[in-house]
């Protein structure tokens, strides 16, 4: 069940698109006003400061209410806390859904906070379940959370919960792999491969009309998946992870096939940059630049060529010069790139909304131009013109 009405999100998108078209001169003021009347059913989405205050208020309110409710049920030392947390979390979820629909909340701060608290209230329940079933492995606790995170992402489309689901899945999978020597040896490559596969799967899904409800969650998860694909085979990360998993002393000793991980450390940012240019996706290009920067940090950690001060100074000068050159070069679009803000990535949705706006503007134009009915010439004409 989707908690938020998808029509709210489409209306927000349509109004933003109408403002953009009006600024470009495609829509007149009268047509833009007609679009605003047509898409007036909007959710409540305050500015960032109000969102922060509502978020803090939601966390504090849930904490005080939960403490009071749990104290009432603390008579049973074994089951008081789990039952209290479960009942209070379930009641809060019912109230949250009601408030969202009545007040038209959409990522307004308080709904995000209450969703995090509801998921957190499952912790005591899962701890009790783990104690009863003698669960000793951390991944088993994560496995209990997995279906609830999946349901929360489907119902709310909340980006941080989506990231939690992504990392929970990777944690469970990697925990199972390291139990076997072969899985531990190929862990970096398997995690990188899974992250790449999830990226392309989610990227393909994000282009579909049905993915619009989860667009924000996808916009957060896709770059994180690419970063995980890079960090899984980064030389420094693999070296320290190898020492940690095998209980080796610090500083971390050299790893086998180090040349391969050094190659991947510098090759993957180039592949990410090529992918970003091919897909014309700014977020992928930003991920490629972050990966390249971390590759430089990794190399300098083991092979210092310049003092830190000189390295920062020269690196800043090179990046500033490159940014200035690109700004001048892309004043006019080159190969699909320009310095002007990019349009929406959801081309299918934009086509649907544009067709809807076109119908609206046509109906507005037909109301403005009324043929006939006059008094001089034409149908129904009289002596006046």
């Amino acid at each position: 069940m989707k908690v938020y009405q998808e029509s709210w999100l489409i209306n927000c998108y349509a109004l933003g698109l109408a403002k953009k078209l009006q600024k470009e001169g495609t829509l007149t003021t009268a047509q833009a006003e007609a679009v605003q009347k047509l898409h007036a059913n909007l959710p409540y989405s305050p500015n960032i400061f109000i969102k922060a205050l509502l978020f803090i208020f939601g966390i504090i309110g849930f904490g005080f209410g939960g403490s009071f409710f749990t104290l009432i049920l603390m008579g049973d030392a074994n089951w008081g806390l789990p039952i209290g947390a479960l009942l209070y979390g379930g009641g809060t979820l019912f109230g949250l859904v009601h408030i969202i629909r009545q007040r038209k909340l959409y990522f307004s701060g308080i709904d995000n906070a209450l969703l995090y608290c509801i998921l957190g209230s499952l912790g005591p329940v899962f701890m009790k379940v783990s104690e009863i079933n003698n669960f000793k492995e951390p991944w088993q606790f994560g496995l209990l959370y997995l279906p609830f995170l999946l349901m929360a992402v489907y119902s709310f489309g909340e980006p941080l919960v989506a990231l939690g689901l992504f990392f929970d899945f990777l944690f469970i999978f990697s925990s199972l792999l390291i139990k076997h020597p072969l899985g531990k040896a190929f862990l970096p490559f398997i995690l990188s491969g899974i992250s790449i596969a999830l990226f392309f799967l989610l990227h393909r899904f994000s282009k579909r009309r049905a993915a619009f409800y989860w667009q924000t969650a996808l916009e957060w998860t896709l770059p994180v998946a690419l970063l995980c694909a890079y960090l899984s085979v980064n030389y420094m990360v693999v070296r320290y992870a190898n020492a940690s998993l095998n209980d080796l002393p610090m500083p971390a000793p050299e790893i086998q096939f180090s040349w391969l991980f050094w190659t991947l450390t510098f090759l993957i940012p180039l592949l990410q940059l090529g992918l970003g240019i091919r897909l014309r996706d700014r977020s992928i290009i930003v991920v490629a630049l972050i990966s390249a920067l971390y590759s430089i940090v990794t190399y300098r950690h083991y092979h210092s060529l310049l003092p830190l001060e000189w390295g920062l100074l020269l690196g800043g000068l090179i990046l500033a010069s490159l940014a200035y050159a690109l700004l001048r070069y892309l004043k006019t679009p080159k190969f699909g790139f320009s310095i002007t803000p990019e349009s929406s990535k959801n081309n299918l949705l934009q086509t649907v909304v544009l067709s809807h706006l076109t119908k609206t503007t046509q109906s507005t134009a037909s109301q403005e131009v009324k043929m006939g009915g006059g008094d001089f010439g034409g149908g129904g004409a009289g002596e006046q013109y």
Side-chain angles (χ1 to χ4, degrees):
M1 179 187 68
K2 297 178 181 178
V3 175
Y4 303 107
Q5 290 188 21
E6 196 165 357
S7 60
W8 299 347
L9 314 185
I10 294 177
N11 288 341
C12 290
Y13 181 87
L15 289 182
L17 183 58
K19 290 180 180 178
K20 176 178 177 291
L21 295 176
Q22 184 184 9
K23 186 177 180 181
E24 294 175 353
T26 308
L27 288 182
T28 64
T29 303
Q31 292 168 343
E33 291 176 355
V35 172
Q36 290 178 0
K37 292 179 182 178
L38 182 64
H39 299 279
N41 187 22
L42 297 173
Y44 173 68
S45 184
N47 60 57
I48 185 65
F49 300 104
I50 302 298
K51 282 184 180 180
L53 290 175
L54 290 175
F55 183 87
I56 296 172
F57 174 77
I59 296 289
I60 295 175
F62 183 90
F64 275 111
S67 301
F68 179 76
F69 188 82
T70 306
L71 286 175
I72 299 176
L73 299 176
M74 282 299 288
D76 188 351
N78 291 325
W79 289 97
L81 180 60
I83 292 177
L86 183 62
L87 293 177
Y88 185 67
T92 305
L93 177 61
F94 178 80
L96 175 60
V97 173
H98 179 74
I99 292 173
I100 287 175
R101 292 179 176 175
Q102 291 296 320
R103 300 295 181 182
K104 298 181 180 180
L105 303 180
Y106 179 68
F107 296 171
S108 59
I110 190 169
D111 51 337
N112 303 76
L114 291 179
L115 176 60
Y116 304 154
C117 293
I118 291 167
L119 292 172
S121 67
L122 296 174
V125 182
F126 293 154
M127 291 177 65
K128 191 64 179 178
V129 172
S130 301
E131 180 183 342
I132 293 173
N133 293 277
N134 197 26
F135 290 160
K136 299 284 181 71
E137 300 289 338
W139 67 266
Q140 295 172 321
F141 188 82
L143 186 62
L144 293 175
Y145 252 112
L146 191 66
F148 293 92
L149 290 173
L150 184 61
M151 288 187 292
V153 171
Y154 177 81
S155 299
F156 290 87
E158 214 283 333
L160 282 181
V161 179
L163 290 180
L165 174 63
F166 175 77
F167 285 121
D168 189 32
F169 173 76
L170 289 184
F171 173 72
I172 295 171
F173 197 86
S174 59
S175 298
L176 294 175
L177 281 176
I178 62 177
K179 292 182 175 298
H180 305 281
L182 196 60
K184 185 185 293 187
F186 288 95
L187 180 63
F189 307 104
I190 296 175
L191 284 183
S192 183
I194 291 175
S195 299
I196 293 173
L198 287 175
F199 169 81
F200 283 107
L201 183 65
L202 294 176
H203 186 269
R204 184 176 181 181
F205 175 67
S206 67
K207 299 301 180 184
R208 308 172 83 180
R209 167 64 180 84
F212 181 67
Y213 185 80
W214 302 278
Q215 197 67 33
T216 304
L218 289 169
E219 288 175 355
W220 286 45
T221 308
L222 286 172
V224 170
L226 272 185
L227 279 175
C228 288
Y230 164 74
L231 291 174
S232 298
V233 292
N234 175 272
Y235 173 82
M236 184 164 62
V237 174
V238 172
R239 183 166 173 171
Y240 278 100
N242 176 68
S244 178
L245 291 175
N246 294 288
D247 296 324
L248 300 177
M250 292 294 176
E254 183 61 275
I255 55 177
Q256 294 181 343
F257 301 103
S258 60
W259 62 269
L260 177 60
F261 291 105
W262 273 120
T263 303
L264 293 174
T265 297
F266 288 96
L267 178 62
I268 288 183
L270 296 176
L271 296 177
Q272 290 174 340
L273 182 61
L275 180 65
I277 294 174
R278 181 175 179 272
L279 298 178
R280 292 179 173 82
D281 193 316
R282 183 174 56 186
S283 63
I284 299 178
I285 296 176
V286 171
V287 169
L289 295 177
I290 294 174
S291 301
L293 177 63
Y294 195 70
S295 297
I296 296 172
V297 172
T298 300
Y299 185 82
R300 194 191 179 282
H301 183 75
Y302 296 101
H303 307 282
S304 180
L305 298 177
L306 292 172
L308 179 60
E309 297 79 7
W310 281 103
L312 292 175
L313 179 61
L314 293 177
L317 288 174
I318 293 173
L319 291 177
S321 302
L322 181 62
Y324 179 74
L326 285 175
L327 285 174
R328 290 182 60 86
Y329 180 70
L330 296 177
K331 279 186 176 180
T332 56
K334 301 287 195 312
F335 309 106
F337 290 92
S338 69
I339 60 174
T340 56
E342 63 181 357
S343 59
S344 173
K345 301 175 186 176
N346 201 323
N347 296 325
L348 179 59
L349 178 66
Q350 184 169 339
T351 303
V352 173
V353 174
L354 276 175
S355 64
H356 201 178
L357 294 181
T358 303
K359 293 179 182 178
T360 304
T361 56
Q362 288 176 350
S363 63
T364 304
S366 65
Q367 293 174 5
E368 293 175 352
V369 182
K370 297 182 179 180
M371 302 303 293
D375 292 332
F376 186 83
E383 60 186 8
Q384 296 182 2
Y385 178 75

